């Protein structure tokens, strides 16, 4: 039922159209580019644009959805059913993710008719988009639940996006330079695992390019990240954050349900 | 039986007689001196020399051909020493300290093959004029071709690998290097203190080492770099204190830094393809450069339809400058936040190079459909339709 609701919503069609425009226009712009490595401009442009736009879309959509549920008191109604709150949260989350996966896969396969990219290239970008969606949807769920109203959900989501995407480099530049020089690279890697958006971006770059993309200092780390063990570490890091967010949302809803 | 005899006979006929015959080795105690108008054909012999040159050419119009020279591993004296006018060296092969041409005019080296010892130059031209080097193949030398002073030299199709510098020019004038293939060296071409050097139609790629550079210009005036493929280097083209350089129609791709300029003024850059480099260009204290019609792979907008973008390209070395001070920040390369930041925070003009009309690639939508894409699209549409139904 949740899946059906997610696919019936007009946002799904809007997402599909937005995806198609992004992929075809940007993918088309970056074509006809022979370079030495497989890391083409198409990949680089799409990774940058997807990494910038997709988290905002998904954060806003999921947080608004949950805030709307809370504002309209639908959650209170649902809590009268003999269903665990954790299950409601998980089903909603997985339904949204499944619907988005269909939309993204459809958009990618339609865009592949016009954009010349290798199968591995498409697969990497697809994995990146799904990873970002899953991560942002998990965070958006908690933001929507904590925000309670739609206005606050939008504000919190936007603030989160600004800090984690737009201001992240500035924050790192401002803070990391205070650390001893020898520890800065290690600190960067540690902080990378704190920001899933950046972690996914670096991972997708590591998979699709030469290990020296981020300079000699990260050559070993990027080489390791592109191996299966590196991918597992990314999945664990992203998965645990999602789990933590969903548990947090469930806990918040349960706590507040007691006083309703 | 008769059939087998025929087969054996045919096999014997097919085997070239003497194909595996050893060359006669000639141990030289003193150099062989070739004087004016003399010809020396060294076919079938291998000349071995250690502490002195194997051949010395003097006078006018001498010819040395089909010579194979082996030197001891520690040899530092060139295998062939040339002075004079209009000499020719054809199909000369040297294993050791290479060929030295000094105070000469119009010397021609045709198809020299040099396997160096890593300490001496492959071919060196000192204070000479109008020398021609055609089809040289050089590997493991200190500098593949070293030129000091002189003028009017021509090098055609030199192939230099595994050396410090592929071609090293120190102060000559009016040198033309056509179709060079320079790879696996510390620097492809090091051009210093020169005037009017021209490098064209070259393949200059995959240099090695921390400073791996395709072409380095230092105090080189009026250099022309045209129609070269420069790729896979740390720096594609580096120019410092070099004025009036003309860089056009080159493909400079897949380098860490495509172009790096420092106090390089009055340059003209046009029609170059600079896509696919980590940093397309870094420019410091360079001014009065005429930059137009290059492909940078950035945002373009051609309103007038002249093939040139109406949005100028402005190189901003924001991240490079950051990473130059704090190497750890390299991990921010390609970060969406940084991309936005680069457009918000503009670097000072003295570290920026602006292309007033970058080249616009004409894009044609091409059909890339495949059975897999059709199947996947159909499957997703079906899944979507099925998912919409209320159960």
């Amino acid at each position: 039922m949740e899946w059906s609701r997610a696919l019936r919503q007009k946002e799904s069609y809007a997402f599909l159209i937005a995806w198609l425009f992004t992929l075809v226009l940007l993918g088309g712009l970056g074509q006809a580019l022979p370079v030495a490595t497989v890391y083409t401009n198409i990949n680089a442009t799409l990774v940058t644009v997807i990494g910038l736009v997709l988290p905002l879309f998904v954060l806003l959509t999921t947080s608004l959805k949950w805030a709307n549920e809370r504002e309209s008191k639908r959650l209170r109604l649902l809590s009268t059913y003999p269903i665990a709150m954790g299950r409601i949260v998980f089903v909603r989350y997985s339904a949204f993710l499944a619907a988005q996966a269909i939309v993204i896969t459809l958009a990618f396969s339609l865009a592949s008719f016009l954009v010349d990219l290798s199968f591995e290239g498409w697969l990497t970008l697809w994995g990146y988009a799904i990873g970002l969606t899953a991560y942002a949807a998990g965070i958006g769920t908690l933001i929507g639940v904590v925000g309670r109203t739609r206005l606050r959900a939008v504000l919190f989501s936007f603030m989160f996006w600004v800090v984690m995407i737009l201001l992240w480099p500035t924050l790192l530049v401002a803070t990391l330079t205070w650390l001893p020089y020898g520890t800065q690279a290690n600190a960067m890697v540690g902080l990378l695992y704190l920001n899933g958006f950046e972690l996914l971006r670096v991972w997708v770059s590591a998979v699709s390019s030469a290990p020296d993309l981020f300079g000699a200092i990260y050559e070993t780390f990027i080489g390791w990240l592109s191996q299966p063990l590196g991918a597992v570490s990314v999945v664990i890091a992203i998965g645990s954050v999602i789990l933590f967010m969903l548990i947090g949302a469930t806990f918040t809803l349960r706590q507040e349900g007691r006083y309703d | 039986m008769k059939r087998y005899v025929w087969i054996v006979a045919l096999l014997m006929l097919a085997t070239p007689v003497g194909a595996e015959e050893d060359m006669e080795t000639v141990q030289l105690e003193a150099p062989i001196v070739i004087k004016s108008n003399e010809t020396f054909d060294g076919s079938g012999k291998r000349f071995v020399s250690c502490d002195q040159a194997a051949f010395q050419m003097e006078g006018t119009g001498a010819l040395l051909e089909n010579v194979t020279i082996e030197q001891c591993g520690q040899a530092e004296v060139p295998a062939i020493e040339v002075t004079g006018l209009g000499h020719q060296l054809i199909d000369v092969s040297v294993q050791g300290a290479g060929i030295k041409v000094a105070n000469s005019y119009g010397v021609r080296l045709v198809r020299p093959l040099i396997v160096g010892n890593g300490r001496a130059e492959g071919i060196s031209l000192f204070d000479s004029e109008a020398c021609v080097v055609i089809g040289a193949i050089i590997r493991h030398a200190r500098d593949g071709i070293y030129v000091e002073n002189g003028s009017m030299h021509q090098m055609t199709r030199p192939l230099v690998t595994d050396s410090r510098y592929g071609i090293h020019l120190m102060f000559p004038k009016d040198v033309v290097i056509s179709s060079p293939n320079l790879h696996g060296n510390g620097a492809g071409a090091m051009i210093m203190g020169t005037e009017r050097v021209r490098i064209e139609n070259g393949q200059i790629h995959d240099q090695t080492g921390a400073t791996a550079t395709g072409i380095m210009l230092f105090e080189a005036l009026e250099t022309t770099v045209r129609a070269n493929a420069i790729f896979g280097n740390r720096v594609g083209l580096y120019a410092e204190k070099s004025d009036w350089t003309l860089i056009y129609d080159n493909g400079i791709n897949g380098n860490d830094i495509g172009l790096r300029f420092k106090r390089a003024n009055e340059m003209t850059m046009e029609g170059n393809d600079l896509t696919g480099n980590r940093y397309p260009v870094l420019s410091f204290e360079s001014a009065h450069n005429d930059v137009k019609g290059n492909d940078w792979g950035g945002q373009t907008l051609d309103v007038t339809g002249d093939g040139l973008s109406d949005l100028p390209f402005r190189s901003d070395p924001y991240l490079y400058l950051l990473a130059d001070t704090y190497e750890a920040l390299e991990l921010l390369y390609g970060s969406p936040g940084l991309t936005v930041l680069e457009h918000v925070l503009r670097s000072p003009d003295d570290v920026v190079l602006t292309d007033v009309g970058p080249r616009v690639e004409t894009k044609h939508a091409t059909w890339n459909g495949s059975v897999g894409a059709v199947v996947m699209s159909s499957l997703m549409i079906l899944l979507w339709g099925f998912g919409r139904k209320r159960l």
Side-chain angles (χ1 to χ4, degrees), chain A residues 188 201 212-218, chain B residues 234 256 278-279 319-320 322-324 326-334:
Chain A
M188 279 291 283
R201 178 186 67 78
D212 63 347
L213 181 71
F214 297 102
I217 193 170
Y218 293 111
Chain B
R234 181 160 162 67
D256 198 13
R278 258 182 101 209
Y279 301 99
L319 175 64
Y320 178 82
L322 274 178
D324 206 32
Y326 302 102
E327 203 180 356
L329 297 174
E330 283 270 20
L331 207 56
L332 295 174
Y333 178 75

Side-chain angles (χ1 to χ4, degrees), chain B residues 28 45-49 54-55 64 67-71 79-80 92-96:
Chain B
L28 296 172
K45 290 178 183 169
R46 180 190 293 119
F47 298 90
V48 179
S49 163
F55 290 91
L64 181 65
V67 168
T68 302
I69 302 166
E70 268 184 33
Q71 288 188 294
I80 303 172
V92 170
S93 170
V94 175
Q95 188 176 331

Side-chain angles (χ1 to χ4, degrees), chain A residues 4-256:
Chain A
S4 164
R5 267 187 65 202
L7 284 174
R8 278 172 178 278
Q9 283 167 344
K10 286 174 185 165
E11 288 94 327
S12 297
Y13 295 98
F15 261 118
L16 179 67
I17 292 163
W19 270 108
L20 272 175
F21 264 108
T22 308
L23 293 170
V24 172
L25 283 178
L26 293 176
L29 280 177
Q31 279 189 26
L33 179 63
V35 288
T37 63
V38 293
Y39 192 71
T40 64
N41 244 23
I42 307 176
N43 276 354
T45 313
L46 288 177
V47 165
T48 306
V49 172
I50 290 171
L52 189 71
V53 176
L54 185 76
L56 182 64
F57 278 2
V58 176
L59 279 171
L60 284 174
T61 311
T62 44
S63 62
L64 265 172
K65 209 178 283 263
W66 278 99
N68 188 38
E69 295 279 313
R70 297 204 69 181
E71 267 190 330
S72 64
K73 310 286 184 192
R74 270 174 58 87
L75 277 177
R76 187 181 289 180
L77 181 68
L78 279 174
S79 65
T80 59
Y81 288 81
I83 309 169
M85 191 52 77
R87 195 172 171 191
I88 293 173
V89 171
F90 181 74
V91 166
R92 288 259 162 110
Y93 172 79
S94 55
F96 174 80
L97 202 60
Q100 288 306 312
I102 290 175
V103 171
I104 290 168
T105 313
L106 181 58
F108 271 59
S109 43
L110 288 176
S112 74
F113 285 111
L114 291 172
V115 179
D116 186 15
L117 201 61
S118 68
F119 177 71
E120 288 77 17
W122 280 120
L123 199 66
T124 312
L125 283 175
W126 181 84
Y128 180 51
I130 296 290
L132 278 182
T133 307
Y135 188 73
I139 294 167
T141 302
L142 185 63
I143 289 176
V145 167
V146 172
R148 292 185 179 198
T149 65
R150 280 177 291 181
L151 184 62
R152 276 200 287 187
V154 168
L155 281 175
F156 289 164
S157 297
F158 189 71
M159 275 168 57
F160 188 82
W161 177 78
V162 165
V163 172
M164 298 302 269
I165 303 283
L166 280 191
L167 292 183
W168 185 253
T170 315
L171 284 173
L172 291 184
V173 170
T175 53
L176 236 77
T177 49
W178 290 93
L179 293 176
Y181 195 85
T183 60
Q184 287 175 354
N186 292 332
M188 279 291 283
V189 172
L191 287 168
L192 190 67
Y193 276 84
L194 282 185
N195 185 345
F197 299 121
E198 281 291 288
L199 178 61
L200 283 165
R201 178 186 67 78
V202 172
W203 173 74
V204 80
S205 305
V207 169
S208 59
S209 72
D212 63 347
L213 181 71
F214 297 102
I217 193 170
Y218 293 111
E219 215 168 310
T220 314
F221 171 65
I222 296 298
W224 174 80
L225 202 62
S226 62
Q227 303 295 316
L229 200 63
V232 168
S233 79
V234 172
V235 170
I236 289 172
I238 298 293
S240 45
V241 170
I242 293 168
L243 202 64
F244 181 75
M245 292 293 151
L246 296 185
I247 291 170
T250 309
F251 182 75
T252 311
L253 287 170
R254 266 196 206 151
Q255 286 293 103
E256 292 181 6

Side-chain angles (χ1 to χ4, degrees), chain B residues 215-389:
Chain B
I215 299 173
M216 291 179 84
L217 307 178
F218 186 79
E219 294 184 349
L221 303 178
E222 295 182 71
T223 309
T224 301
V225 181
R226 187 191 76 85
N228 297 287
I230 303 170
F231 56 92
N233 309 289
R234 181 160 162 67
V235 180
L237 190 151
Y238 177 80
E240 183 173 346
K241 295 182 186 171
S242 298
D243 294 348
W244 307 300
T245 308
L246 186 59
I247 304 167
Y248 65 102
D249 295 341
N250 298 285
I252 303 173
N253 313 109
N255 303 285
D256 198 13
I257 299 166
L259 301 168
R260 185 172 176 148
F261 302 130
K262 189 173 181 185
R263 286 188 233 165
N265 305 312
E266 310 272 355
M267 291 186 302
T268 303
M269 270 185 66
E270 199 167 337
N272 300 290
D273 179 353
L274 284 138
T275 50
N277 300 292
R278 258 182 101 209
Y279 301 99
V281 61
L282 298 174
S283 177
F284 302 96
E285 302 166 43
S286 302
H288 308 298
N289 295 310
D290 184 11
V291 184
K292 196 178 179 186
N294 302 285
D295 189 353
W296 304 91
Q299 299 108 325
T300 52
L301 177 68
D302 185 10
V303 177
T304 52
D306 60 355
L308 299 177
S309 173
D310 297 293
L311 293 175
F313 170 85
R314 190 174 183 277
S315 76
D316 202 316
Y318 182 75
L319 175 64
Y320 178 82
L321 294 176
L322 274 178
D324 206 32
T325 318
Y326 302 102
E327 203 180 356
L329 297 174
E330 283 270 20
L331 207 56
L332 295 174
Y333 178 75
S335 168
L338 198 78
T339 309
V340 174
L341 212 60
E342 277 176 347
H343 286 86
V344 176
L345 303 174
R346 294 164 75 87
S347 299
D349 284 344
D350 64 336
V351 295
V352 164
L353 188 85
T354 304
D355 188 331
V356 291
R359 197 167 67 205
V360 176
E361 285 290 321
T362 309
K363 303 292 179 191
H364 300 287
T366 49
W367 186 252
N368 291 301
S370 64
V371 176
V374 172
V375 170
M376 186 58 84
S377 304
S378 311
L379 196 69
M380 287 302 121
I381 290 166
L382 277 173
L383 208 58
W384 194 332
F386 177 74
R388 278 170 53 86
K389 287 179 183 163

Side-chain angles (χ1 to χ4, degrees), chain B residues 174-236:
Chain B
D174 300 295
V175 176
V176 177
I177 305 167
S178 301
S179 310
N181 189 330
L182 312 170
H183 64 270
N185 307 292
M190 171 67 175
I191 297 166
M192 196 167 166
T194 58
E195 288 180 33
R196 294 176 300 280
V197 170
R198 188 178 177 88
I199 306 179
E200 55 191 6
N201 301 316
Q203 297 272 330
I204 301 163
H205 61 97
D206 298 306
Q207 314 305 332
T208 56
T211 55
T213 304
I215 299 173
M216 291 179 84
L217 307 178
F218 186 79
E219 294 184 349
L221 303 178
E222 295 182 71
T223 309
T224 301
V225 181
R226 187 191 76 85
N228 297 287
I230 303 170
F231 56 92
N233 309 289
R234 181 160 162 67
V235 180

